[in-house]
Amino acid sequence: MTEEDSFDLRDFLPFLLNQAAEESSLEFQQVYKDRFGMLRTEWRVLFHLGMYGELTAKEIGERAKIHKTKISRAVAKLAQRRYLTRTRDANDRRSERLALTTAGRAVYRELRGVAQTYDARLAAQFTTGEAALLRMMLRRLAGME
Amino acid sequence: MTEEDSFDLRDFLPFLLNQAAEESSLEFQQVYKDRFGMLRTEWRVLFHLGMYGELTAKEIGERAKIHKTKISRAVAKLAQRRYLTRTRDANDRRSERLALTTAGRAVYRELRGVAQTYDARLAAQFTTGEAALLRMMLRRLAGME
DNA sequence: ACCTAATAGTTGATTTTGTAACTAACAAGG
DNA sequence: CCTTGTTAGTTACAAAATCAACTATTAGGT
């Protein structure tokens, strides 16, 4: 009854995932933060618009599971920096269609390049098969299937 | 020159890791937050002391890569709730040895049980081999090898 | 011993996030 | 057309994280 359940915090998935996420974001964070003065939500919004074209705030929120207040603030900042424009949707004037400006697209392409290189470096720690499996498992854990 | 680099945000490891970490922490968070009124750093400190016994704030910070101000505040709150005691180290009176009280150990054991069950449920989405590989890869990404 | 640098931990000010309440616009039933 | 309810997005306030400056103590030269 010595209650010696073998439990190691270092194997606990929520902990492990957090540590890995934090560590593996550090260098990329440096780029979008220090070099572009952006916040996490901001580059995410930028990437969504860069990848999928015009979207509303709500659509971005659904795809990336980001709360609407965060998005609202990120969009405000990106608009203020002239990285995107907002146009009221004629059919539903509550929402607005967001689109990157030329400047926004330029920043997106630059950041995307950084992201690609960075991701490749992370994945290089594993075999191709392992990396693919990892992404699959993470997608499942994230509920993004 | 159509700049059609195939890049999918949904495959980008830092993004994927963050989403998985967030999603997979939600339910456990509910327990330590709603049921025990704890913050993330607080249960982590509790677990470190529960698992490794007496430690200083600095040692916890090193093991879990948590910043000292966060630890300082977490320790203060845990001490205030009588989950741990602090004793000045006789050899170096700048630091203090932290140890769980009986109450602290009880909470630790209870939370550990929840964590174990929860972790098992997460891992059950994969084969045993896959889960082991996942933990290995996460440890490597987290720089915890 | 004495001066400077380093270390453990705390505190306060600033930023960022989270939560709830709000405005404006649409929708559907009577 | 009016209620009542819902939805897109914003704003205000509270909670928490981050960063810099601070205290107390130790360590290492000289």
Side-chain angles (χ1 to χ4, degrees):
Chain A
M1 185 102 178
T2 24
E3 186 87 49
E4 264 310 332
D5 292 69
S6 78
F7 175 81
D8 193 343
L9 181 57
R10 300 167 73 86
D11 284 331
F12 184 41
L13 280 172
F15 178 74
L16 215 39
L17 282 160
N18 255 294
Q19 298 289 112
E22 234 165 82
E23 182 63 28
S24 76
S25 301
L26 266 177
E27 278 184 60
F28 185 60
Q29 183 174 99
Q30 229 109 70
V31 178
Y32 68 70
K33 209 170 171 183
D34 298 351
R35 215 161 87 207
F36 293 93
M38 279 192 201
L39 251 31
R40 205 165 53 125
T41 310
E42 289 162 26
W43 78 257
R44 286 186 180 189
V45 167
L46 188 87
F47 269 53
H48 274 267
L49 294 172
M51 287 191 36
Y52 306 116
E54 250 185 33
L55 291 171
T56 66
K58 197 201 174 198
E59 287 163 344
I60 298 176
E62 279 163 358
R63 289 177 193 249
K65 284 199 196 136
I66 305 178
H67 194 267
K68 58 181 182 171
T69 63
K70 267 196 195 171
I71 300 203
S72 173
R73 293 194 254 246
V75 167
K77 205 146 152 209
L78 292 172
Q80 175 197 318
R81 296 203 181 162
R82 316 280 175 198
Y83 287 170
L84 61 78
T85 55
R86 341 164 75 154
T87 18
R88 286 244 158 260
D89 185 325
N91 295 63
D92 183 345
R93 306 209 349 272
R94 285 171 303 183
S95 65
E96 31 190 29
R97 318 237 23 112
L98 307 170
L100 293 187
T101 61
T102 309
R105 269 191 301 277
V107 172
Y108 162 64
R109 272 196 300 271
E110 196 168 339
L111 267 178
R112 184 186 59 183
V114 174
Q116 265 172 322
T117 311
Y118 187 48
D119 189 79
R121 244 190 39 235
L122 287 175
Q125 300 179 23
F126 312 108
T127 69
T128 311
E130 284 171 343
L133 185 61
L134 175 61
R135 289 189 223 268
M136 183 271 273
M137 290 192 277
L138 291 175
R139 261 194 300 275
R140 194 177 304 170
L141 285 169
M144 303 178 19
E145 306 191 273
Chain B
M1 183 101 179
T2 23
E3 187 87 48
E4 265 309 332
D5 291 69
S6 79
F7 175 81
D8 192 343
L9 180 57
R10 300 166 75 85
D11 284 332
F12 184 41
L13 281 171
F15 178 74
L16 215 40
L17 283 161
N18 256 295
Q19 299 288 112
E22 234 163 84
E23 182 64 28
S24 75
S25 300
L26 267 177
E27 278 184 62
F28 185 60
Q29 183 174 99
Q30 230 108 71
V31 179
Y32 68 70
K33 208 170 170 182
D34 299 351
R35 214 160 88 206
F36 293 93
M38 279 194 202
L39 251 31
R40 203 164 55 124
T41 310
E42 289 162 27
W43 77 257
R44 287 187 179 189
V45 167
L46 189 87
F47 268 53
H48 275 268
L49 294 172
M51 288 192 36
Y52 306 117
E54 250 185 33
L55 290 171
T56 66
K58 198 202 173 196
E59 287 164 343
I60 298 176
E62 280 163 357
R63 287 177 193 250
K65 286 198 195 136
I66 306 177
H67 194 267
K68 58 182 182 171
T69 62
K70 268 194 198 172
I71 300 203
S72 173
R73 286 172 171 130
V75 167
K77 204 144 152 211
L78 292 172
Q80 176 197 316
R81 296 200 182 165
R82 316 281 174 197
Y83 288 170
L84 61 78
T85 56
R86 343 163 74 155
T87 20
R88 286 244 158 260
D89 185 326
N91 294 63
D92 183 344
R93 307 211 346 273
R94 285 171 302 184
S95 65
E96 32 189 29
R97 318 239 23 114
L98 307 170
L100 293 187
T101 60
T102 308
R105 267 192 301 278
V107 173
Y108 163 64
R109 273 196 299 271
E110 195 167 339
L111 267 177
R112 185 185 59 185
V114 174
Q116 265 172 320
T117 311
Y118 187 48
D119 189 79
R121 242 190 40 235
L122 287 173
Q125 302 180 28
F126 313 109
T127 69
T128 312
E130 284 171 343
L133 185 61
L134 174 62
R135 290 189 223 266
M136 183 271 273
M137 291 193 276
L138 291 175
R139 261 195 301 276
R140 194 178 302 171
L141 286 168
M144 303 178 20
E145 304 192 274

